[in-house]
Amino acid sequence: MDHDEAAAQGDERPVTSREQDAVRVLLLLDGACEPANSADLDDLRLQSSVGVVRSQVRLQKLDFWLRNPDYLADELLNDYESSAEPPLLDHAARILDSEEPEVRRYPMLRHHFGAYEPLDDALAVLRSAGLIAVRRRGTVNRIRQHDYFLLGQGRTVARDIVGQAPEFAYYVERVRLVIDLADGLGGSGLKARQYLQHEYAQAERGKRIGSVSARARTRLAEFRRSAAASGAGAA
């Protein structure tokens, strides 16, 4: 049974291992983190940090596009439709002309606030290895925000992983596309953008969010025809 068949049947078994999640999240944090500020570095646990991703919502929404290349490609087509920048069409085409939307897709569950998959096990692996630190803001009774700090050792390990296993460069390349697509949006902004996708918004709560690969490939073909007709060339 492939991922889409499992989703269609409401299969809620994990589709990635803890180790896979740990590597993917580490490479995501390495590519997505912003510099920590001086107040952060006052915390002894964070003095070796090289950057931070602020909020669980932002981390989950970035991870959604990393885990779902069909949605990533369709959003690139959305940006191409509004900007007509050829590189956006090229990036989407490289995804959709391949089997990436099928073999690299790890669907996420639809929860009350959109796509969500528990990352506690993966984060625990990274924390226990001294690669990241997680800071909770708020009170004992109400945590307002989680901040995810990449430590110096985490960056070293992330770069070593890609150097020793070049196949993981795939995630480095896709993280760049994801961050460019996010374009400074916070977690709430990313959530709002993802909710504009009908398949995402209409997914039943507790079920995996379905694929948009067929629709995205149809759109790509239409954009190519339009580009060819206008003499602008196509991807």
Side-chain angles (χ1 to χ4, degrees):
M1 180 184 298
D2 65 21
H3 297 143
D4 289 341
E5 289 171 339
Q9 296 181 27
D11 190 338
E12 297 183 5
R13 293 173 298 175
V15 293
T16 56
S17 70
R18 180 177 63 177
E19 291 74 18
Q20 286 175 309
D21 285 338
V23 171
R24 187 187 70 255
V25 171
L26 179 63
L27 296 177
L28 175 56
L29 290 173
D30 185 37
C33 65
E34 61 186 48
N37 59 40
S38 57
D40 295 326
L41 300 180
D42 286 341
D43 188 328
L44 292 177
R45 298 175 305 145
L46 306 177
Q47 288 186 346
S48 70
S49 66
V50 294
V52 57
V53 171
R54 300 193 188 277
S55 90
Q56 185 180 74
V57 174
R58 180 171 171 80
L59 182 65
Q60 289 278 353
K61 301 317 173 191
L62 295 175
D63 195 34
F64 175 78
W65 279 332
L66 194 57
R67 291 171 56 127
N68 292 271
D70 51 336
Y71 280 86
L72 173 60
D74 198 54
E75 293 289 2
L76 291 169
L77 292 178
N78 286 339
D79 281 2
Y80 171 76
E81 187 172 24
S82 62
S83 70
E85 295 179 11
L88 294 168
L89 189 63
D90 294 340
H91 289 315
R94 277 196 289 273
I95 295 172
L96 296 171
D97 286 341
S98 72
E99 295 182 343
E100 185 177 331
E102 287 72 42
V103 302
R104 294 281 194 176
R105 181 171 179 267
Y106 300 104
M108 294 174 73
L109 293 172
R110 163 76 156 82
H111 280 245
H112 295 289
F113 302 105
Y116 176 84
E117 283 287 331
L119 294 175
D120 294 350
D121 287 349
L123 293 168
V125 169
L126 299 175
R127 290 177 67 185
S128 65
L131 307 183
I132 70 166
V134 180
R135 186 177 64 185
R136 297 170 178 83
R137 297 197 218 178
T139 65
V140 173
N141 296 323
R142 184 174 181 272
I143 302 299
R144 291 185 293 104
Q145 181 170 309
H146 293 75
D147 293 334
Y148 303 90
F149 290 85
L150 179 68
L151 303 182
Q153 181 63 16
R155 172 151 290 171
T156 297
V157 170
R159 306 295 167 85
D160 286 348
I161 286 173
V162 176
Q164 295 170 13
E167 61 269 24
F168 285 112
Y170 162 82
Y171 283 116
V172 176
E173 294 165 1
R174 288 294 170 265
V175 167
R176 290 194 191 105
L177 287 181
V178 166
I179 297 308
D180 287 345
L181 190 61
D183 192 24
L185 290 174
S188 297
L190 292 173
K191 180 175 71 174
R193 177 165 182 167
Q194 290 173 2
Y195 262 111
L196 294 176
Q197 292 278 4
H198 174 79
E199 293 84 352
Y200 182 109
Q202 297 302 314
E204 185 179 349
R205 289 179 182 174
K207 302 297 184 182
R208 298 201 182 278
I209 297 170
S211 173
V212 297
S213 58
R215 177 166 61 79
R217 285 174 170 135
T218 297
R219 294 184 70 203
L220 173 63
E222 292 170 351
F223 285 131
R224 280 173 159 160
R225 284 193 293 270
S226 296
S230 67

